[in-house]
Amino acid sequence: MKITVTIKQGFTGLLFENGVLTRELPPGRHTAGAMFGPAPTVELVDLRERSSTIKNQEILTGDKVSVRLSLLVSFRVTDPKAAVLNVANYEDRLYEDVQLSARRFLATRSLDQILKDRNELSEAIQADISGPAKQFGVTVLRADVKDIIFPGQLRELMNRVIETERQAEANLIAAKSRAEIAALDAQSRAQVAAVEAKTALENQQKRLELDQAFAELIAKNPALVRVKELEAFKDMGKAAQTHFYVGVDRQKRDA
């Protein structure tokens, strides 16, 4: 008996006649079978990229901590004949292989190691299952860790640890900021003190130079000493309202 079948884009068809795989049917419309005899069968195989979620796998880590793991595996059938003929159900087989691979890997890692690098788990699972998957016609594209769920008490403890680490980090940043501010303040004070010391030294030097210049001027002009004395007496007289007689005999002045 003849049959007519249409294969959609993204699929392929495996034609079985009398229980034997005879050929692969690409996308399109096909007629197969003989006029007389049993009708052939066609098994469709999806060639598109797909994903499978492995949920809530309870696994013991290397340090005997029970965790629940959810994984997302992306794959594509690249050898339809092997996918159909080599295993009873290639999706179930892939699911089982991912489970076993995750258990093997986690059994060799402590919880701390798993938390530090979740990508290591994803990469290890992909590398572990890629070889066997090719034997039944499947190429594994990715194996990602979606969730890691811990027991309630452990979760609460981890949250406290994370909060403590965050607070310690904030305290460290604050202390570092205070130290930087103190260093800048000390540097500014040192710069101001240096400028003040330099200015004082320069002023002192200028005073010495002026005193020296004045001394030299007095040495060259002795009469200036007398002028300075008279100016001093004048200022004193104004302040105390006192009269000074310079160069006048006291007895003659009193008479």
Side-chain angles (χ1 to χ4, degrees), residues 91-228:
E91 292 187 72
D92 289 346
R93 173 63 183 275
L94 181 64
Y95 190 98
E96 294 169 356
D97 284 354
V98 172
Q99 282 184 313
L100 294 174
S101 178
R103 292 180 185 279
R104 286 193 296 268
F105 180 83
L106 292 181
T108 64
R109 295 292 188 276
S110 66
L111 179 62
D112 186 55
Q113 290 174 317
I114 296 168
L115 293 177
K116 284 182 178 179
D117 192 358
R118 291 173 56 168
N119 290 333
E120 184 185 13
L121 172 58
S122 299
E123 293 168 358
I125 292 175
Q126 182 176 357
D128 189 35
I129 65 175
S130 290
K134 285 185 178 180
Q135 296 178 9
F136 52 88
V138 173
T139 297
V140 178
L141 305 175
R142 291 189 311 278
D144 298 321
V145 177
K146 290 182 64 177
D147 298 298
I148 299 179
I149 303 172
F150 308 99
Q153 293 181 347
L154 181 59
R155 235 184 358 255
E156 182 179 351
L157 178 60
M158 289 180 61
N159 289 336
R160 290 180 183 177
V161 171
I162 292 172
E163 183 61 29
T164 302
E165 290 178 348
R166 288 176 178 172
Q167 187 61 46
E169 185 177 357
N171 293 339
L172 180 61
I173 292 173
K176 185 178 180 180
S177 298
R178 288 194 296 269
E180 291 176 351
I181 292 173
L184 290 173
D185 184 62
Q187 184 179 2
S188 299
R189 291 177 181 273
Q191 291 175 347
V192 170
V195 171
E196 290 177 348
K198 182 179 179 181
T199 302
L201 182 61
E202 292 174 350
N203 291 338
Q204 184 179 4
Q205 185 66 29
K206 289 179 180 178
R207 285 196 297 270
L208 291 174
E209 291 175 355
L210 289 173
D211 291 344
Q212 183 178 0
F214 184 72
E216 293 176 355
L217 183 62
I218 293 299
K220 294 179 181 179
N221 301 279
L224 289 176
V225 177
R226 187 63 176 168
V227 173
K228 295 298 289 183

Side-chain angles (χ1 to χ4, degrees), residues 11 24 33 54 58 61 79 105 114 153 160 189 253:
F11 291 78
E24 184 175 340
I54 293 87
E58 188 167 346
T61 64
D79 186 347
F105 180 83
I114 296 168
Q153 293 181 347
R160 290 180 183 177
R189 291 177 181 273
R253 181 198 68 188

